[in-house]
mmCIF file with all atom_site columns, all heavy atoms in Angstrom:
data_model
loop_
_atom_site.group_PDB
_atom_site.id
_atom_site.type_symbol
_atom_site.label_atom_id
_atom_site.label_alt_id
_atom_site.label_comp_id
_atom_site.label_asym_id
_atom_site.label_entity_id
_atom_site.label_seq_id
_atom_site.pdbx_PDB_ins_code
_atom_site.Cartn_x
_atom_site.Cartn_y
_atom_site.Cartn_z
_atom_site.occupancy
_atom_site.B_iso_or_equiv
_atom_site.pdbx_formal_charge
_atom_site.auth_seq_id
_atom_site.auth_comp_id
_atom_site.auth_asym_id
_atom_site.auth_atom_id
_atom_site.pdbx_PDB_model_num
ATOM   1  N N   . LEU D 1 35  ? -83.806 -96.200 94.584 1.00 92.00 ? 35  LEU D N   1
ATOM   2  C CA  . LEU D 1 35  ? -84.974 -96.849 95.301 1.00 92.00 ? 35  LEU D CA  1
ATOM   3  C C   . LEU D 1 35  ? -85.807 -97.364 94.151 1.00 92.00 ? 35  LEU D C   1
ATOM   4  O O   . LEU D 1 35  ? -86.544 -96.596 93.441 1.00 92.00 ? 35  LEU D O   1
ATOM   5  C CB  . LEU D 1 35  ? -85.671 -95.740 96.069 1.00 92.00 ? 35  LEU D CB  1
ATOM   6  C CG  . LEU D 1 35  ? -86.584 -96.116 97.160 1.00 92.00 ? 35  LEU D CG  1
ATOM   7  C CD1 . LEU D 1 35  ? -86.023 -97.230 98.087 1.00 92.00 ? 35  LEU D CD1 1
ATOM   8  C CD2 . LEU D 1 35  ? -86.914 -94.977 98.006 1.00 92.00 ? 35  LEU D CD2 1
ATOM   9  N N   . GLY D 1 60  ? -81.983 -84.289 93.556 1.00 95.00 ? 60  GLY D N   1
ATOM   10 C CA  . GLY D 1 60  ? -81.411 -85.579 93.238 1.00 95.00 ? 60  GLY D CA  1
ATOM   11 C C   . GLY D 1 60  ? -82.362 -86.567 92.656 1.00 95.00 ? 60  GLY D C   1
ATOM   12 O O   . GLY D 1 60  ? -82.562 -87.692 93.221 1.00 95.00 ? 60  GLY D O   1
ATOM   13 N N   . ASN D 1 65  ? -87.281 -92.008 89.599 1.00 94.00 ? 65  ASN D N   1
ATOM   14 C CA  . ASN D 1 65  ? -88.247 -92.893 90.299 1.00 94.00 ? 65  ASN D CA  1
ATOM   15 C C   . ASN D 1 65  ? -89.173 -92.117 91.279 1.00 94.00 ? 65  ASN D C   1
ATOM   16 O O   . ASN D 1 65  ? -90.396 -92.321 91.182 1.00 94.00 ? 65  ASN D O   1
ATOM   17 C CB  . ASN D 1 65  ? -87.568 -94.087 90.995 1.00 94.00 ? 65  ASN D CB  1
ATOM   18 C CG  . ASN D 1 65  ? -86.101 -93.832 91.355 1.00 94.00 ? 65  ASN D CG  1
ATOM   19 O OD1 . ASN D 1 65  ? -85.594 -92.800 91.034 1.00 94.00 ? 65  ASN D OD1 1
ATOM   20 N ND2 . ASN D 1 65  ? -85.418 -94.753 91.843 1.00 94.00 ? 65  ASN D ND2 1
ATOM   21 N N   . GLU D 1 82  ? -80.494 -81.906 89.520 1.00 96.00 ? 82  GLU D N   1
ATOM   22 C CA  . GLU D 1 82  ? -79.689 -83.133 89.521 1.00 96.00 ? 82  GLU D CA  1
ATOM   23 C C   . GLU D 1 82  ? -78.272 -82.720 89.085 1.00 96.00 ? 82  GLU D C   1
ATOM   24 O O   . GLU D 1 82  ? -78.014 -81.940 88.159 1.00 96.00 ? 82  GLU D O   1
ATOM   25 C CB  . GLU D 1 82  ? -80.343 -84.122 88.580 1.00 96.00 ? 82  GLU D CB  1
ATOM   26 C CG  . GLU D 1 82  ? -79.464 -85.282 88.189 1.00 96.00 ? 82  GLU D CG  1
ATOM   27 C CD  . GLU D 1 82  ? -79.058 -86.182 89.504 1.00 96.00 ? 82  GLU D CD  1
ATOM   28 O OE1 . GLU D 1 82  ? -79.925 -86.653 90.179 1.00 96.00 ? 82  GLU D OE1 1
ATOM   29 O OE2 . GLU D 1 82  ? -77.831 -86.300 89.723 1.00 96.00 ? 82  GLU D OE2 1
ATOM   30 N N   . ASP D 1 108 ? -75.424 -78.376 91.181 1.00 96.00 ? 108 ASP D N   1
ATOM   31 C CA  . ASP D 1 108 ? -75.181 -78.888 92.568 1.00 96.00 ? 108 ASP D CA  1
ATOM   32 C C   . ASP D 1 108 ? -76.285 -78.102 93.452 1.00 96.00 ? 108 ASP D C   1
ATOM   33 O O   . ASP D 1 108 ? -76.302 -76.908 93.487 1.00 96.00 ? 108 ASP D O   1
ATOM   34 C CB  . ASP D 1 108 ? -73.826 -78.349 93.021 1.00 96.00 ? 108 ASP D CB  1
ATOM   35 C CG  . ASP D 1 108 ? -73.464 -78.944 94.409 1.00 96.00 ? 108 ASP D CG  1
ATOM   36 O OD1 . ASP D 1 108 ? -74.347 -79.319 95.143 1.00 96.00 ? 108 ASP D OD1 1
ATOM   37 O OD2 . ASP D 1 108 ? -72.245 -79.140 94.636 1.00 96.00 ? 108 ASP D OD2 1
ATOM   38 N N   . ASN D 1 138 ? -84.253 -87.602 97.858 1.00 95.00 ? 138 ASN D N   1
ATOM   39 C CA  . ASN D 1 138 ? -83.509 -88.711 98.425 1.00 95.00 ? 138 ASN D CA  1
ATOM   40 C C   . ASN D 1 138 ? -82.100 -88.462 98.006 1.00 95.00 ? 138 ASN D C   1
ATOM   41 O O   . ASN D 1 138 ? -81.617 -88.817 96.861 1.00 95.00 ? 138 ASN D O   1
ATOM   42 C CB  . ASN D 1 138 ? -84.012 -90.015 97.839 1.00 95.00 ? 138 ASN D CB  1
ATOM   43 C CG  . ASN D 1 138 ? -83.115 -91.244 98.196 1.00 95.00 ? 138 ASN D CG  1
ATOM   44 O OD1 . ASN D 1 138 ? -82.375 -91.240 99.172 1.00 95.00 ? 138 ASN D OD1 1
ATOM   45 N ND2 . ASN D 1 138 ? -83.128 -92.204 97.372 1.00 95.00 ? 138 ASN D ND2 1
HETATM 46 N N1  . SAM G 2 .   ? -83.994 -90.071 93.510 1.00 54.30 ? 401 SAM G N1  1
HETATM 47 C C1  . SAM G 2 .   ? -83.279 -91.282 93.087 1.00 54.30 ? 401 SAM G C1  1
HETATM 48 C C2  . SAM G 2 .   ? -83.801 -92.522 93.955 1.00 54.30 ? 401 SAM G C2  1
HETATM 49 O O1  . SAM G 2 .   ? -84.376 -92.221 95.015 1.00 54.30 ? 401 SAM G O1  1
HETATM 50 O O2  . SAM G 2 .   ? -83.522 -93.555 93.523 1.00 54.30 ? 401 SAM G O2  1
HETATM 51 C C3  . SAM G 2 .   ? -81.819 -91.166 93.212 1.00 54.30 ? 401 SAM G C3  1
HETATM 52 C C4  . SAM G 2 .   ? -81.276 -91.029 94.624 1.00 54.30 ? 401 SAM G C4  1
HETATM 53 S S1  . SAM G 2 .   ? -79.584 -91.116 94.762 1.00 54.30 ? 401 SAM G S1  1
HETATM 54 C C5  . SAM G 2 .   ? -79.377 -91.531 96.497 1.00 54.30 ? 401 SAM G C5  1
HETATM 55 C C6  . SAM G 2 .   ? -79.075 -89.462 94.907 1.00 54.30 ? 401 SAM G C6  1
HETATM 56 C C7  . SAM G 2 .   ? -79.211 -88.553 93.647 1.00 54.30 ? 401 SAM G C7  1
HETATM 57 O O3  . SAM G 2 .   ? -78.734 -87.225 94.032 1.00 54.30 ? 401 SAM G O3  1
HETATM 58 C C8  . SAM G 2 .   ? -78.392 -89.124 92.611 1.00 54.30 ? 401 SAM G C8  1
HETATM 59 O O4  . SAM G 2 .   ? -79.048 -88.987 91.292 1.00 54.30 ? 401 SAM G O4  1
HETATM 60 C C9  . SAM G 2 .   ? -77.232 -88.054 92.506 1.00 54.30 ? 401 SAM G C9  1
HETATM 61 O O5  . SAM G 2 .   ? -76.584 -87.881 91.239 1.00 54.30 ? 401 SAM G O5  1
HETATM 62 C C10 . SAM G 2 .   ? -77.802 -86.826 93.060 1.00 54.30 ? 401 SAM G C10 1
HETATM 63 N N2  . SAM G 2 .   ? -76.922 -85.835 93.611 1.00 54.30 ? 401 SAM G N2  1
HETATM 64 C C11 . SAM G 2 .   ? -75.864 -86.192 94.427 1.00 54.30 ? 401 SAM G C11 1
HETATM 65 N N3  . SAM G 2 .   ? -75.295 -84.949 94.844 1.00 54.30 ? 401 SAM G N3  1
HETATM 66 C C12 . SAM G 2 .   ? -76.029 -83.965 94.382 1.00 54.30 ? 401 SAM G C12 1
HETATM 67 C C13 . SAM G 2 .   ? -75.923 -82.622 94.473 1.00 54.30 ? 401 SAM G C13 1
HETATM 68 N N4  . SAM G 2 .   ? -74.939 -82.088 95.264 1.00 54.30 ? 401 SAM G N4  1
HETATM 69 N N5  . SAM G 2 .   ? -76.814 -81.736 93.795 1.00 54.30 ? 401 SAM G N5  1
HETATM 70 C C14 . SAM G 2 .   ? -77.860 -82.441 93.181 1.00 54.30 ? 401 SAM G C14 1
HETATM 71 N N6  . SAM G 2 .   ? -77.995 -83.708 93.027 1.00 54.30 ? 401 SAM G N6  1
HETATM 72 C C15 . SAM G 2 .   ? -77.069 -84.486 93.615 1.00 54.30 ? 401 SAM G C15 1
#
Side-chain angles (χ1 to χ4, degrees):
L35 197 48
N65 24 2
E82 170 58 60
D108 187 339
N138 171 25

